[in-house]
Amino acid sequence: MPHLLGSAYLLGAGPDHLNNIYEAESKGLEPWHDSPGELSSYDWRDHLGNPKYQRAYLDFFEDELVLNGYDWHKVLDEYLLKGKEPLINNLISGLGHPLIHLGYAYELSSRELAMESLTMAASSYNYMHKYLDNPSYTKPSATSTHSPFEILCRVQNDSRFDGLFTHQGFDNLEPLFEKREDDVLEYWNSWQISDPTKEFQASQMAAAALLVATHKPGGKPYDFFIVHLLTTSHAVRILLPLLPTDIHVPLVRQWWLLTLAVYIAQLRPEAVLTSVTDYDRKGRDWGWVDEQAVQGKHALDAHYVKALRAMKTAAETWGDGDEFYLKAAVKFTDEFDGWGGFGHSVF
């Protein structure tokens, strides 16, 4: 709910539409369930990755917020950034929702969202943290490049991933690392980041391309899991200027690991860039895109609205002289008719 409310608000939605969002989104929320026990500063890490402790984690972090005089930045500094294996290195768990939530916490200056992001990171903590926490997984690559899109094209044509899965879906992620860990990490280490700003700019273009340039009009619906690569990229863009500099490259590489894993799990759809660059936007501009986001027929779809806003803010951040982001947003709006890519997943 806060993602859609925040996105719509930042796109200029009025109070009536925000109330409509609240009414619609609140109907699908699950009730809280009591946790098996409480948590303290002595044992809070003992139940990382256990969703049954979600309520206990939120209670714990909110108590810490009070103890720190409601300074949510201090709480994040203590529980997100510090320690041998800090939570910051696993924000891509849960399909990146802790990362997305943290981005909105900073954008909206919300201590409530900040504590919820910590809760999500703690309760969905998983195996992917080790690739950031253990430096042995980071190795020099013989096929390094500064272009993430170039690497994705290599992955798309790599026969080592052929026949690995029979369907798309979130449930492919863990088996991917069990079966092809070395191959995934080979590509993960191939992205050479020597100029973080320039390379991250390229990664945002790649994220938009993966969503929009892989979609064929009249074909399957837009991919629900691939859209998270765009919205997590947006969150990284928000966080980079606000977090310590030593976290910047690891945070971008964390996003890159999620991107590779989701792309392979979704059976590596081909991204045809000309489907975006040659798209006829018919004179429609960002004002039209904003109108579709807050007044169009899909204005109550959180991921739809977030995707449009992510492309718009990327254009504002990097410039859009070739109109790539604008054309991608118009194409996405024209063709969107719900989400697919679930396979056998229940998410």
Side-chain angles (χ1 to χ4, degrees), residues 78-113:
E78 178 66 28
Y79 291 101
L80 184 70
L81 304 180
K82 291 183 178 179
K84 182 180 179 182
E85 295 183 343
L87 287 183
I88 188 71
N89 284 343
N90 199 215
L91 293 181
I92 57 173
S93 64
L95 200 56
H97 281 105
L99 176 57
I100 296 168
H101 217 72
L102 185 63
Y104 278 100
Y106 275 95
E107 276 198 282
L108 300 170
S109 191
S110 169
R111 65 194 185 200
E112 291 83 6
L113 293 184

Side-chain angles (χ1 to χ4, degrees), residues 139-181:
K139 303 173 183 178
S141 171
T143 59
S144 63
T145 176
H146 295 286
S147 170
F149 189 78
E150 178 185 332
I151 298 172
L152 291 167
C153 291
R154 294 179 193 170
V155 173
Q156 203 269 329
N157 293 297
D158 193 333
S159 60
R160 289 177 294 180
F161 300 112
D162 289 352
L164 191 58
F165 305 113
T166 59
H167 61 274
Q168 298 175 311
F170 186 71
D171 57 346
N172 289 339
L173 288 181
E174 192 164 354
L176 171 63
F177 284 93
E178 293 172 353
K179 298 175 180 179
R180 293 289 188 274
E181 179 184 73

Side-chain angles (χ1 to χ4, degrees), residues 95-142:
L95 200 56
H97 281 105
L99 176 57
I100 296 168
H101 217 72
L102 185 63
Y104 278 100
Y106 275 95
E107 276 198 282
L108 300 170
S109 191
S110 169
R111 65 194 185 200
E112 291 83 6
L113 293 184
M115 298 305 100
E116 288 175 5
S117 71
L118 280 175
T119 299
M120 295 167 75
S123 58
S124 64
Y125 195 77
N126 67 11
Y127 62 94
M128 294 183 82
H129 78 90
K130 67 182 181 181
Y131 301 112
L132 278 298
D133 286 327
N134 188 339
S136 68
Y137 289 107
T138 299
K139 303 173 183 178
S141 171

Side-chain angles (χ1 to χ4, degrees), residues 49-107:
N50 187 342
K52 293 181 180 180
Y53 278 82
Q54 185 183 65
R55 183 61 184 263
Y57 273 114
L58 183 60
D59 290 343
F60 169 67
F61 290 128
E62 288 185 338
D63 287 346
E64 292 299 299
L65 181 64
V66 174
L67 292 174
N68 283 275
Y70 292 95
D71 187 337
W72 57 277
H73 296 90
K74 284 186 179 180
V75 181
L76 289 179
D77 183 62
E78 178 66 28
Y79 291 101
L80 184 70
L81 304 180
K82 291 183 178 179
K84 182 180 179 182
E85 295 183 343
L87 287 183
I88 188 71
N89 284 343
N90 199 215
L91 293 181
I92 57 173
S93 64
L95 200 56
H97 281 105
L99 176 57
I100 296 168
H101 217 72
L102 185 63
Y104 278 100
Y106 275 95
E107 276 198 282

Side-chain angles (χ1 to χ4, degrees), residues 107 204 234 237 308-318:
E107 276 198 282
Q204 291 225 278
H234 171 79
R237 187 193 66 79
L308 288 175
R309 182 166 175 267
M311 287 185 273
K312 180 184 180 182
T313 56
E316 292 172 342
T317 301
W318 311 112

